Amino acid sequence: MAAIMAKPSLKTLKCTQCGGAIELRGGHNVRSIVCQYCGSCLDSKDQFKLIHKFLNQKRPFMPLKIGASGKLKGILFTVIGVLQYEEREAGEFFRWLEYLLFSPTHGYVWLCFEDGHWVMMHEVKDLPETQVEIVSPRKTRFKARDKTFKVFENAQAHISYVEGELTWQAKQNEKILYLDAVCPPYMYSIEMRGSEQEFFWGEYISVKDINAGFRIESFEPATVFSCQPFVVSPLFEALSKGALIASVITLVMYFLISSSGTPVMQHHFGNQLFADGETSKEFKVDKPGSLYGITVHTPNLKNAWSFFDVRVVDRDETNKLFTMPTTLSFYDGYEDGEYWSEGDTEVVSYFRIPEAGEFKLAVDGEGGTGEEPAEGFSLSGVNVSIREGVRLGHYTLTWFVLCLLAAAPYFVKYMLFEQSRWHDDEEDDD
Amino acid sequence: MAVMLTCPSCGNQITQITRSPQVLVCPACNTTSFLQNGRLEDVGKSAILTDIPSIFQINRTYRHKDWKFSPVGRVRYDYGDGWWDEWYVRGENGKESWVSVDEGEIAIEVLVQEGLNVPPFEKLSVGGVLMINRQRMTIIEKNRCTMIGAQGELPFKVIPNETYDYVDLLGPKRSSFTIEYQAGGVECYKGVWVDPFEIAEA
């Protein structure tokens, strides 16, 4: 059974200076009311006596009007006052609105509106847990409420417009020194007004939530705000992060799986190779069907090409198992004082032998500096080595690249978003 | 087991929730009764509380982080510029505390049992610092209040229009401390300031 209670009533009064109608919607912590018609600042704790007048006030564009009610975070608030702040930096003016909202259950909050962005802030008693001062430089890190914040800006601003109820007695051109730090979607602010320092906790509110909460049609902003969170569809985010994890796993797998094998034969071929061909010493195949790697290295190949007809033959050199034609070319020089090179002096090929046994390599070679093979072309030394137990892991590497490509759009988008958030700073860094 | 009591003024059945309340305010007729020897004795009408929406309602359950509690009674105090509610709440474990609410400013406090030596009211001023249990606490409010209304079950006898002096202090990590200078002596409460946005209905 409910207790017997009296109903609250909306208080209305006439401005003691101009007679304009004033409606009181705030609670008992309201200290002053600024008449929207004449700019008189009235003392709500002393019979609405005139404290002072705000002169030459020019009402700015206001997407929300005093008296508007709406839900934020599921709590019903009423707009009871509004302030416009102005800041001058490098000859440019920056202006933003701060609406004072009141809820009988949750007290007073500030709804800040700048460049089409909305941030809901309220005073807290949580002081920063690590060292930070109101003048700390940009990107200084500190902790508050177990979150790590980065200083976004600190500056001095002044009040350029006031209307409605306030929880203190604002003055014409009153100056505030502030520090805004971000941990999207949260903001932590330190404000200094005279000798009083206050701490505020803020959260970015999407245009969609503002429009739904206050039944208005505010437009999506084109810029990125300091504490705006990076928002994409949860599925896209989950898939992208999953793809990044998968790419890391496949890369680890590649290093675990791939192997360059162990040497089973090394042979140094002489000039005979280019005359009549030459046969290597024997090498043994213990694991039929496994992958072998053959490296042909021509250390003295320079500004020329060479072709090698490499054949795997049996021990008696009577049966040819297969042929591996191999071409190498290497050119280098200086152009405009800069060194350049193209091609390589080493090439690796792979093969499998289906049966165990002892085998040799029969190699014929030719080469030249022009298009046709040159008579008597030779290289002083061609080294050939064979390794067994080679594991390439090419498929794993392919999956790594594919996963990385799948993850890339999300992270590129994220980096561009963060770049826009800290844009001024990047310019400073430059 | 819940104890049923009968309002001596209107006969309404009232369920006793806390272990040893001294005062119950009948939700039907607003009569304040003292509980003596298991019976309610009418001591007059309690002031009518203005029906301004509150973050709490009697006998509903709320949560602040891991702590669940239900308000069982409240006292309203006027401090000149406005008023605040002191909600008498019962935790899940049966432990009772006080939650003060003043337009979104909320502190959860419990009575300090050990005797503390605190300076007299006259010697304190806003902005001053007190060392309490080796913690540096700053005085953020110094005022006098008047009891203007009550509701539900309360652990002490409320006397309408009774006044007392108090100071509120703020310490590190949102810690709060209240010193009440009442006629019967000094009472201290310690606790923590909480953000209203951290409170949810359980």
Side-chain angles (χ1 to χ4, degrees), chain B residues 55-90:
Chain B
I55 194 164
F56 302 125
Q57 283 184 46
I58 293 271
N59 296 336
R60 295 181 87 150
T61 307
Y62 299 89
R63 181 169 44 81
H64 176 255
K65 295 182 178 169
D66 296 333
W67 182 55
K68 277 188 186 172
F69 60 96
S70 301
V72 293
R74 69 167 149 169
V75 191
R76 182 167 292 173
Y77 294 99
D78 187 298
Y79 58 91
D81 276 350
W83 48 264
W84 86 91
D85 281 333
E86 283 286 352
W87 291 87
Y88 184 51
V89 305
R90 192 167 187 267

Side-chain angles (χ1 to χ4, degrees), chain A residues 108-126:
Chain A
Y108 301 86
V109 302
W110 290 100
L111 185 61
C112 308
F113 176 73
E114 185 176 359
D115 279 346
H117 298 276
W118 299 86
V119 180
M120 179 179 152
M121 306 200 76
H122 66 283
E123 195 186 342
V124 290
K125 292 188 166 66
D126 306 77

Side-chain angles (χ1 to χ4, degrees), chain A residues 1-8 27-29 31 45 75 77 102 104-109 120 122 124-126 145, chain B residues 12 27-29 48-55 74 79 81-83 102-105 151 174 193 195-197:
Chain A
M1 203 180 291
I4 302 165
M5 291 193 179
K7 293 283 171 196
H28 54 252
N29 282 311
R31 292 282 179 271
K45 297 293 176 193
I75 297 144
F77 285 96
F102 175 69
T105 57
H106 287 69
Y108 301 86
V109 302
M120 179 179 152
H122 66 283
V124 290
K125 292 188 166 66
D126 306 77
R145 282 192 172 186
Chain B
N12 180 45
C29 69
I48 294 170
L49 299 174
T50 310
D51 190 14
I52 289 172
S54 172
I55 194 164
R74 69 167 149 169
Y79 58 91
D81 276 350
W83 48 264
D102 181 3
E103 291 190 337
E105 297 241 312
Q151 182 188 4
R174 301 198 275 190
W193 291 97
D195 189 328
F197 292 92

Side-chain angles (χ1 to χ4, degrees), chain B residues 88-154:
Chain B
Y88 184 51
V89 305
R90 192 167 187 267
E92 257 185 327
N93 55 1
K95 208 174 158 188
E96 281 125 21
S97 326
W98 289 94
V99 180
S100 70
V101 179
D102 181 3
E103 291 190 337
E105 297 241 312
I106 298 176
I108 301 165
E109 294 188 321
V110 290
L111 181 66
V112 180
Q113 299 297 344
E114 66 267 28
L116 283 173
N117 276 329
V118 291
F121 183 73
E122 300 73 35
K123 290 204 169 175
L124 300 174
S125 56
V126 174
V129 171
L130 282 184
M131 291 301 288
I132 296 170
N133 291 333
R134 282 176 284 178
Q135 275 201 331
R136 191 183 157 86
M137 312 281 296
T138 308
I139 299 167
I140 55 170
E141 191 179 345
K142 179 188 177 191
N143 215 335
R144 166 168 283 218
C145 63
T146 306
M147 201 285 270
I148 56 165
Q151 182 188 4
E153 281 180 38
L154 296 165

Side-chain angles (χ1 to χ4, degrees), chain A residues 353-420:
Chain A
I353 295 177
E355 56 195 74
E358 289 184 345
F359 300 91
K360 290 179 180 176
L361 292 177
V363 185
D364 286 308
E366 61 181 21
T369 53
E371 282 187 13
E372 295 297 321
E375 279 289 328
F377 178 84
S378 69
L379 292 168
S380 55
V382 175
N383 300 320
V384 175
S385 62
I386 294 176
R387 296 180 318 280
E388 70 170 0
V390 173
R391 290 194 301 271
L392 293 177
H394 282 168
Y395 289 119
T396 326
L397 209 56
T398 307
W399 275 111
F400 163 71
V401 173
L402 287 175
C403 290
L404 208 59
L405 286 174
Y410 170 84
F411 290 98
V412 168
K413 212 173 163 185
Y414 175 76
M415 279 164 59
L416 291 173
F417 188 87
E418 286 301 316
Q419 215 172 9
S420 296

Side-chain angles (χ1 to χ4, degrees), chain B residues 172-199:
Chain B
K173 296 195 172 176
R174 301 198 275 190
S175 58
S176 73
F177 200 84
T178 302
I179 309 169
E180 293 180 359
Y181 298 84
Q182 301 193 20
V186 174
E187 277 189 353
C188 296
Y189 294 84
K190 66 174 179 184
V192 64
W193 291 97
V194 300
D195 189 328
F197 292 92
E198 290 175 346
I199 288 172

